[in-house]
Amino acid sequence: MRALCGRPGGGVEGSAIQEIPTPEPGAGEVRVRVEAAAVNPADLKVLAWKDGGAFLHSKHTPLVVGYDFSGSVDAVGAGVTDRRVGDAVLGFVPYARSTVWGSFAEFVTVRSDTVALRPAGLSAARAAALATGGSTALQALRDKGRLTLGGSGGRVLVNGASGGVGLIAVQIAKAMGAEVWGTSSAAKMDAVRAAGADHAVDYRVTALSSIREGFDVVLDAASTSSYGECSGILGPKGAYVTLLPSGSLVTGKLAALFSSRRCEFVTVKPLAADLAWLAGQAAAGALDVRIEASYPFDQIKEALTRFQTGAGAGKVVVEWAPRSG
Ligand SMILES: NC(=O)c1ccc[n+]([C@@H]2O[C@H](COP(=O)([O-])OP(=O)(O)OC[C@H]3O[C@@H](n4cnc5c(N)ncnc54)[C@H](OP(=O)(O)O)[C@@H]3O)[C@@H](O)[C@H]2O)c1
C-alpha cells in the first residue's frame, strides 16, 4: 500500500509517500480502507519527535503517522463480530507509544470496538475531521468538566476555540446548556461566533484572567495557560481542563488539593459510543464540522505544511480518489 513514511525527527520535509506492506488485522481488529484522514497537531509532533511526540507513537522507521480516518472495513481479524467487511466507519488511531501504523496510508488497522459506523449523510472527509477533535471536546467537557448534554452548563470558557478541538467544544458546550466564551486570534473570531460562542475574545488583546470570573469550566484547548493563571476566574466548584501534560499541570493539581476547584488533564480515548454520537449529530446537522482545506492524498505534504501555518479555522483533510473494487 501507499503511505506517508517519515522518520523520528525528520519532520514533514523528511517524509515521502512510499510503497510499504499492507498491514493484516490482528485478533479483534479491523482493517479500514481509508477514504479520508484529517491532520492533527500530533502528526507534526510525532514527525518532529518533539513536544511530546514520543508519547504518541512508537519509534520506528518508516514512521507512518495520521490519527483520524474514515473509510470502509476491508478485512476483519479473528473474533471480530461487531463490524463487517463493507461497513463505513470513522475513528482514530490511539495516541499511544504502542501505536505502530497511522491513517496517512491506504489502509489502517485498529481495534474493532474503537470505530463507529458512519451514518449516511456524513461524508468521509467530515467524519475524519470530527474524530479526534470531537472526542476530545466531548470527553473533556463531560468527563473532566462534569457537564451533561441537555443540562444547564453554566459558564464555559474555551481557550483556543478556533482549532480542531475548540470549534467542536464550543458547540458541545452550547448543547450542554452553557453560556460560552471562546478565545482565538482576531482573524478567526467570526468562526468562533459561527460555532455558537456567545462571546468571542481575541487572546492577543485580552488576558484569560481578565475575561470575567465565575467559570464552571475553563477548557484550555490551546493549552497555553495553567490552573495557576485561571483559578481566579473559576467559580467555587469550577474546573480547569488542559490537553497537555506539563510542569504547571503538576503544580496546578497540587494547588487544587487545597481548593474546591479542580485541575484536570484529559487524554482522548477512541470510544465507539462517543464517535457514534458525534457522527450522528454531524449527520443530523446539529454539529458543524468545519473543513478549511482538502487535499488529494498525493499532496499530503502540502496538507501538513498548510496545517503547520495555522492559516484557517477548522480542519485540514486529505482524501483518496474513489477506487473501484
Ligand atoms: N490530550 C489529548 O488527548 C489531546 C487531544 C487532542 C489534541 N490535543 C492537543 O491539544 C492542542 C490543540 O489541538 P487542536 O487540534 O485544537 O489544535 P489546532 O487545530 O492547531 O488549534 C489550536 C488553536 O489554539 C489557538 N491558539 C494558539 N495560540 C494561542 C494562545 N496563545 N492563546 C489561545 N489560543 C491559542 C489557535 O488559535 P489561532 O489560530 O486563532 O491563533 C488554534 O485555533 C494541541 O496541542 C494538541 O496536540 C491533546
Side-chain angles (χ1 to χ4, degrees):
M1 69 172 183
R2 296 173 76 222
L4 182 75
C5 297
R7 58 185 160 75
V12 176
E13 320 75 58
S15 65
I17 294 175
Q18 289 173 10
E19 195 71 35
I20 60 171
T22 302
E24 291 300 326
E29 289 185 337
V30 290
R31 183 172 67 200
V32 176
R33 182 170 206 150
V34 180
E35 289 168 35
V39 179
N40 284 292
D43 302 315
L44 302 172
K45 295 177 187 181
V46 173
L47 285 172
W49 210 250
K50 62 179 193 187
D51 299 329
F55 295 96
L56 306 173
H57 203 283
S58 60
K59 184 178 190 180
H60 69 104
T61 305
L63 186 62
V64 180
V65 295
Y67 290 87
D68 290 339
F69 64 84
S70 183
S72 59
V73 174
D74 155 85
V76 299
V80 171
T81 54
D82 52 351
R83 297 286 173 255
R84 290 184 302 189
V85 169
D87 281 349
V89 294
L90 71 150
F92 58 96
V93 173
Y95 291 82
R97 274 181 161 158
S98 54
T99 285
V100 178
W101 300 113
S103 62
F104 295 160
E106 279 182 85
F107 298 93
V108 66
T109 54
V110 284
R111 269 178 40 195
S112 69
D113 59 1
T114 65
V115 297
L117 295 176
R118 188 179 81 222
L122 181 65
S123 69
R126 289 173 66 231
L130 183 63
T132 290
S135 298
T136 307
L138 179 60
Q139 290 168 24
L141 291 168
R142 181 192 61 199
D143 304 343
K144 303 297 180 179
R146 299 185 188 163
L147 302 180
T148 48
L149 288 159
S152 49
R155 297 188 184 110
V156 171
L157 168 61
V158 180
N159 185 39
S162 56
V165 176
L167 282 172
I168 304 291
V170 167
Q171 298 177 67
I172 294 177
K174 288 305 297 175
M176 290 170 159
E179 182 177 4
V180 179
W181 282 251
T183 73
S184 70
S185 55
K188 298 182 184 173
M189 283 165 66
D190 283 346
V192 173
R193 284 190 202 96
D198 302 286
H199 314 274
V201 178
D202 180 348
Y203 63 75
R204 292 191 175 112
V205 173
T206 308
L208 289 191
S209 56
S210 62
I211 292 178
R212 64 155 296 135
E213 294 179 353
F215 283 107
D216 295 277
V217 179
V218 173
L219 171 52
D220 190 2
S223 300
T224 51
S225 188
S226 65
Y227 174 80
E229 265 177 32
C230 293
S231 59
I233 58 168
L234 289 175
K237 294 196 169 173
Y240 168 80
V241 185
T242 183
L243 302 184
L244 292 184
S246 65
S248 67
L249 171 65
V250 178
T251 319
K253 279 206 162 282
L254 284 174
L257 287 176
F258 303 96
S259 164
S260 57
R261 300 170 174 91
R262 290 180 294 117
C263 174
E264 303 278 8
F265 163 66
V266 71
T267 303
V268 68
K269 303 267 183 315
L271 302 178
D274 285 355
L275 289 161
W277 181 80
L278 291 159
Q281 294 293 301
L287 204 54
D288 181 42
V289 187
R290 190 178 168 116
I291 294 178
E292 68 108 345
S294 173
Y295 292 81
F297 179 64
D298 285 348
Q299 292 174 23
I300 189 162
K301 289 179 71 169
E302 284 87 336
L304 285 160
T305 305
R306 162 95 190 180
F307 185 74
Q308 219 159 13
T309 65
K315 300 294 291 183
V316 173
V317 298
V318 183
E319 295 183 80
W320 276 251
R323 289 159 292 200
S324 54

Short mmCIF file of all heavy atoms in Angstrom, two decimals, residues 34-78:
data_model
loop_
_atom_site.label_atom_id
_atom_site.label_comp_id
_atom_site.label_asym_id
_atom_site.label_seq_id
_atom_site.Cartn_x
_atom_site.Cartn_y
_atom_site.Cartn_z
N VAL A 34 -8.81 3.47 3.89
CA VAL A 34 -9.00 4.88 4.24
C VAL A 34 -9.53 5.66 3.03
O VAL A 34 -8.99 5.57 1.93
CB VAL A 34 -7.67 5.50 4.73
CG1 VAL A 34 -7.85 6.97 5.09
CG2 VAL A 34 -7.14 4.72 5.94
N GLU A 35 -10.61 6.41 3.28
CA GLU A 35 -11.12 7.32 2.24
C GLU A 35 -10.72 8.76 2.53
O GLU A 35 -10.51 9.55 1.62
CB GLU A 35 -12.65 7.22 2.16
CG GLU A 35 -13.14 5.92 1.57
CD GLU A 35 -14.64 5.72 1.78
OE1 GLU A 35 -15.40 6.70 1.76
OE2 GLU A 35 -15.04 4.56 1.98
N ALA A 36 -10.66 9.10 3.80
CA ALA A 36 -10.24 10.45 4.19
C ALA A 36 -9.54 10.37 5.54
O ALA A 36 -9.86 9.53 6.37
CB ALA A 36 -11.45 11.38 4.28
N ALA A 37 -8.58 11.26 5.72
CA ALA A 37 -7.88 11.38 7.01
C ALA A 37 -7.77 12.87 7.30
O ALA A 37 -7.77 13.69 6.38
CB ALA A 37 -6.49 10.74 6.92
N ALA A 38 -7.68 13.20 8.58
CA ALA A 38 -7.56 14.62 8.95
C ALA A 38 -6.24 14.84 9.67
O ALA A 38 -5.73 13.95 10.33
CB ALA A 38 -8.73 15.04 9.85
N VAL A 39 -5.72 16.05 9.50
CA VAL A 39 -4.42 16.40 10.10
C VAL A 39 -4.64 16.91 11.52
O VAL A 39 -5.59 17.65 11.79
CB VAL A 39 -3.72 17.48 9.25
CG1 VAL A 39 -2.38 17.86 9.88
CG2 VAL A 39 -3.51 16.98 7.82
N ASN A 40 -3.77 16.51 12.43
CA ASN A 40 -3.80 16.97 13.82
C ASN A 40 -2.41 17.46 14.23
O ASN A 40 -1.40 17.04 13.64
CB ASN A 40 -4.20 15.80 14.75
CG ASN A 40 -5.68 15.51 14.68
OD1 ASN A 40 -6.50 16.32 15.11
ND2 ASN A 40 -6.04 14.36 14.11
N PRO A 41 -2.36 18.30 15.28
CA PRO A 41 -1.04 18.73 15.76
C PRO A 41 -0.12 17.55 16.08
O PRO A 41 1.10 17.64 15.89
CB PRO A 41 -1.37 19.52 17.05
CG PRO A 41 -2.76 20.00 16.84
CD PRO A 41 -3.45 18.93 16.04
N ALA A 42 -0.71 16.44 16.53
CA ALA A 42 0.11 15.28 16.90
C ALA A 42 0.93 14.75 15.72
O ALA A 42 2.05 14.25 15.92
CB ALA A 42 -0.78 14.17 17.44
N ASP A 43 0.41 14.86 14.51
CA ASP A 43 1.17 14.36 13.34
C ASP A 43 2.50 15.09 13.23
O ASP A 43 3.54 14.48 12.96
CB ASP A 43 0.35 14.57 12.05
CG ASP A 43 -1.00 13.87 12.12
OD1 ASP A 43 -1.03 12.71 12.57
OD2 ASP A 43 -2.01 14.50 11.76
N LEU A 44 2.43 16.40 13.44
CA LEU A 44 3.65 17.21 13.33
C LEU A 44 4.59 16.93 14.50
O LEU A 44 5.81 16.86 14.33
CB LEU A 44 3.28 18.70 13.29
CG LEU A 44 2.33 19.08 12.14
CD1 LEU A 44 1.85 20.51 12.30
CD2 LEU A 44 3.03 18.90 10.79
N LYS A 45 4.01 16.76 15.70
CA LYS A 45 4.84 16.48 16.87
C LYS A 45 5.57 15.15 16.73
O LYS A 45 6.72 15.02 17.11
CB LYS A 45 3.96 16.45 18.13
CG LYS A 45 3.32 17.80 18.47
CD LYS A 45 2.40 17.69 19.67
CE LYS A 45 1.63 18.98 19.90
NZ LYS A 45 0.76 18.95 21.07
N VAL A 46 4.87 14.15 16.18
CA VAL A 46 5.49 12.83 16.04
C VAL A 46 6.56 12.86 14.95
O VAL A 46 7.67 12.35 15.14
CB VAL A 46 4.42 11.75 15.75
CG1 VAL A 46 5.08 10.41 15.44
CG2 VAL A 46 3.48 11.59 16.95
N LEU A 47 6.26 13.48 13.82
CA LEU A 47 7.27 13.55 12.76
C LEU A 47 8.51 14.32 13.23
O LEU A 47 9.64 13.97 12.90
CB LEU A 47 6.69 14.21 11.50
CG LEU A 47 5.74 13.34 10.66
CD1 LEU A 47 5.08 14.17 9.56
CD2 LEU A 47 6.47 12.14 10.06
N ALA A 48 8.28 15.38 14.03
CA ALA A 48 9.40 16.16 14.55
C ALA A 48 10.05 15.46 15.75
O ALA A 48 11.17 15.78 16.14
CB ALA A 48 8.92 17.55 14.97
N TRP A 49 9.30 14.50 16.32
CA TRP A 49 9.73 13.77 17.53
C TRP A 49 10.09 14.75 18.65
O TRP A 49 11.11 14.64 19.32
CB TRP A 49 10.88 12.82 17.21
CG TRP A 49 10.87 11.61 18.10
CD1 TRP A 49 11.76 11.30 19.11
CD2 TRP A 49 9.90 10.54 18.11
NE1 TRP A 49 11.39 10.12 19.72
CE2 TRP A 49 10.26 9.64 19.12
CE3 TRP A 49 8.76 10.27 17.34
CZ2 TRP A 49 9.53 8.48 19.41
CZ3 TRP A 49 8.03 9.12 17.61
CH2 TRP A 49 8.42 8.24 18.64
N LYS A 50 9.19 15.72 18.83
CA LYS A 50 9.35 16.66 19.96
C LYS A 50 7.98 17.11 20.42
O LYS A 50 6.97 16.66 19.87
CB LYS A 50 10.24 17.84 19.56
CG LYS A 50 9.71 18.71 18.45
CD LYS A 50 10.68 19.85 18.18
CE LYS A 50 10.00 20.88 17.30
NZ LYS A 50 10.85 21.94 16.83
N ASP A 51 7.95 17.98 21.44
CA ASP A 51 6.68 18.45 22.04
C ASP A 51 5.79 17.28 22.47
O ASP A 51 4.57 17.32 22.30
CB ASP A 51 5.90 19.35 21.06
CG ASP A 51 6.68 20.60 20.68
OD1 ASP A 51 7.46 21.07 21.52
OD2 ASP A 51 6.52 21.07 19.54
N GLY A 52 6.42 16.24 22.99
CA GLY A 52 5.63 15.10 23.47
C GLY A 52 5.32 14.07 22.41
O GLY A 52 4.63 13.08 22.68
N GLY A 53 5.84 14.26 21.20
CA GLY A 53 5.56 13.30 20.12
C GLY A 53 5.96 11.88 20.46
O GLY A 53 5.31 10.92 20.04
N ALA A 54 7.00 11.74 21.29
CA ALA A 54 7.49 10.40 21.65
C ALA A 54 6.47 9.62 22.48
O ALA A 54 6.58 8.40 22.60
CB ALA A 54 8.80 10.53 22.42
N PHE A 55 5.48 10.33 23.05
CA PHE A 55 4.46 9.64 23.85
C PHE A 55 3.24 9.25 23.02
O PHE A 55 2.32 8.63 23.52
CB PHE A 55 4.00 10.55 25.01
CG PHE A 55 5.08 10.83 26.01
CD1 PHE A 55 5.83 11.99 25.93
CD2 PHE A 55 5.36 9.91 27.01
CE1 PHE A 55 6.84 12.24 26.84
CE2 PHE A 55 6.37 10.15 27.93
CZ PHE A 55 7.11 11.31 27.84
N LEU A 56 3.25 9.65 21.74
CA LEU A 56 2.04 9.50 20.93
C LEU A 56 2.14 8.42 19.87
O LEU A 56 1.16 8.12 19.17
CB LEU A 56 1.71 10.84 20.24
CG LEU A 56 1.59 12.04 21.19
CD1 LEU A 56 1.43 13.34 20.39
CD2 LEU A 56 0.40 11.86 22.12
N HIS A 57 3.33 7.83 19.71
CA HIS A 57 3.55 6.87 18.62
C HIS A 57 4.81 6.07 18.94
O HIS A 57 5.69 6.56 19.64
CB HIS A 57 3.77 7.66 17.31
CG HIS A 57 3.47 6.88 16.06
ND1 HIS A 57 4.32 5.94 15.54
CD2 HIS A 57 2.41 6.92 15.22
CE1 HIS A 57 3.80 5.44 14.44
NE2 HIS A 57 2.63 6.01 14.22
N SER A 58 4.87 4.84 18.43
CA SER A 58 6.10 4.08 18.64
C SER A 58 7.20 4.63 17.72
O SER A 58 6.91 5.20 16.66
CB SER A 58 5.86 2.60 18.37
OG SER A 58 5.44 2.43 17.04
N LYS A 59 8.43 4.43 18.14
CA LYS A 59 9.56 4.98 17.40
C LYS A 59 10.11 3.91 16.46
O LYS A 59 10.75 2.97 16.92
CB LYS A 59 10.64 5.43 18.38
CG LYS A 59 11.83 6.11 17.72
CD LYS A 59 12.84 6.57 18.76
CE LYS A 59 13.88 7.47 18.11
NZ LYS A 59 14.88 7.93 19.08
N HIS A 60 9.80 4.04 15.23
CA HIS A 60 10.43 3.12 14.28
C HIS A 60 10.38 3.74 12.88
O HIS A 60 9.67 4.72 12.65
CB HIS A 60 9.76 1.74 14.29
CG HIS A 60 8.38 1.73 13.73
ND1 HIS A 60 8.08 1.23 12.49
CD2 HIS A 60 7.21 2.17 14.25
CE1 HIS A 60 6.78 1.37 12.28
NE2 HIS A 60 6.23 1.93 13.33
N THR A 61 11.13 3.19 12.00
CA THR A 61 11.18 3.68 10.63
C THR A 61 10.75 2.55 9.69
O THR A 61 11.26 1.43 9.86
CB THR A 61 12.61 4.16 10.27
OG1 THR A 61 13.00 5.13 11.26
CG2 THR A 61 12.66 4.79 8.90
N PRO A 62 9.85 2.73 8.75
CA PRO A 62 9.22 4.02 8.45
C PRO A 62 8.20 4.40 9.51
O PRO A 62 7.53 3.54 10.09
CB PRO A 62 8.53 3.77 7.10
CG PRO A 62 8.20 2.31 7.11
CD PRO A 62 9.34 1.66 7.84
N LEU A 63 8.13 5.69 9.75
CA LEU A 63 7.19 6.24 10.73
C LEU A 63 5.94 6.66 9.97
O LEU A 63 5.98 7.62 9.19
CB LEU A 63 7.85 7.44 11.41
CG LEU A 63 7.14 8.11 12.57
CD1 LEU A 63 6.96 7.15 13.74
CD2 LEU A 63 7.95 9.33 13.03
N VAL A 64 4.85 5.92 10.15
CA VAL A 64 3.60 6.24 9.45
C VAL A 64 2.68 6.92 10.45
O VAL A 64 2.18 6.28 11.37
CB VAL A 64 2.94 4.99 8.85
CG1 VAL A 64 1.65 5.35 8.13
CG2 VAL A 64 3.90 4.30 7.89
N VAL A 65 2.47 8.23 10.27
CA VAL A 65 1.61 8.96 11.19
C VAL A 65 0.20 9.11 10.62
O VAL A 65 -0.16 8.47 9.62
CB VAL A 65 2.21 10.35 11.55
CG1 VAL A 65 3.50 10.18 12.31
CG2 VAL A 65 2.37 11.20 10.32
N GLY A 66 -0.59 9.98 11.22
CA GLY A 66 -2.01 10.12 10.86
C GLY A 66 -2.83 9.42 11.93
O GLY A 66 -2.54 8.27 12.28
N TYR A 67 -3.81 10.13 12.50
CA TYR A 67 -4.67 9.55 13.54
C TYR A 67 -6.11 9.42 13.03
O TYR A 67 -6.64 8.32 12.94
CB TYR A 67 -4.56 10.38 14.83
CG TYR A 67 -3.20 10.21 15.47
CD1 TYR A 67 -2.12 11.02 15.09
CD2 TYR A 67 -2.95 9.21 16.40
CE1 TYR A 67 -0.85 10.83 15.64
CE2 TYR A 67 -1.69 9.00 16.96
CZ TYR A 67 -0.65 9.82 16.56
OH TYR A 67 0.60 9.62 17.10
N ASP A 68 -6.72 10.53 12.69
CA ASP A 68 -8.14 10.49 12.28
C ASP A 68 -8.32 9.81 10.93
O ASP A 68 -7.51 10.02 10.00
CB ASP A 68 -8.67 11.92 12.14
CG ASP A 68 -8.81 12.63 13.47
OD1 ASP A 68 -8.90 11.96 14.50
OD2 ASP A 68 -8.86 13.88 13.45
N PHE A 69 -9.40 9.08 10.79
CA PHE A 69 -9.70 8.47 9.49
C PHE A 69 -11.19 8.18 9.35
O PHE A 69 -11.92 8.06 10.35
CB PHE A 69 -8.92 7.15 9.30
CG PHE A 69 -9.32 6.09 10.29
CD1 PHE A 69 -10.43 5.28 10.06
CD2 PHE A 69 -8.63 5.92 11.48
CE1 PHE A 69 -10.82 4.31 10.99
CE2 PHE A 69 -9.02 4.97 12.41
CZ PHE A 69 -10.11 4.16 12.16
N SER A 70 -11.60 8.04 8.11
CA SER A 70 -12.90 7.43 7.81
C SER A 70 -12.72 6.64 6.52
O SER A 70 -11.95 7.03 5.64
CB SER A 70 -13.99 8.48 7.66
OG SER A 70 -15.23 7.84 7.44
N GLY A 71 -13.42 5.53 6.44
CA GLY A 71 -13.29 4.68 5.26
C GLY A 71 -14.20 3.48 5.41
O GLY A 71 -15.19 3.53 6.17
N SER A 72 -13.86 2.39 4.73
CA SER A 72 -14.71 1.21 4.85
C SER A 72 -13.89 0.01 5.30
O SER A 72 -12.71 -0.14 4.93
CB SER A 72 -15.41 0.91 3.52
OG SER A 72 -14.43 0.69 2.54
N VAL A 73 -14.54 -0.84 6.11
CA VAL A 73 -13.86 -2.03 6.61
C VAL A 73 -13.56 -2.95 5.41
O VAL A 73 -14.43 -3.25 4.60
CB VAL A 73 -14.74 -2.76 7.64
CG1 VAL A 73 -14.10 -4.09 8.05
CG2 VAL A 73 -14.94 -1.87 8.87
N ASP A 74 -12.31 -3.37 5.35
CA ASP A 74 -11.83 -4.12 4.20
C ASP A 74 -11.51 -5.56 4.58
O ASP A 74 -11.57 -6.47 3.76
CB ASP A 74 -10.59 -3.34 3.69
CG ASP A 74 -9.61 -4.17 2.93
OD1 ASP A 74 -9.82 -4.33 1.73
OD2 ASP A 74 -8.64 -4.65 3.56
N ALA A 75 -11.19 -5.77 5.87
CA ALA A 75 -10.92 -7.13 6.37
C ALA A 75 -11.10 -7.12 7.88
O ALA A 75 -10.92 -6.07 8.52
CB ALA A 75 -9.48 -7.54 6.02
N VAL A 76 -11.48 -8.25 8.42
CA VAL A 76 -11.64 -8.32 9.88
C VAL A 76 -10.73 -9.43 10.42
O VAL A 76 -10.51 -10.45 9.77
CB VAL A 76 -13.11 -8.59 10.32
CG1 VAL A 76 -14.02 -7.47 9.86
CG2 VAL A 76 -13.61 -9.93 9.82
N GLY A 77 -10.23 -9.22 11.63
CA GLY A 77 -9.37 -10.21 12.27
C GLY A 77 -10.20 -11.24 13.02
O GLY A 77 -11.43 -11.13 13.12
N ALA A 78 -9.49 -12.20 13.59
CA ALA A 78 -10.17 -13.28 14.32
C ALA A 78 -10.99 -12.72 15.47
O ALA A 78 -10.56 -11.80 16.16
CB ALA A 78 -9.11 -14.25 14.88
#
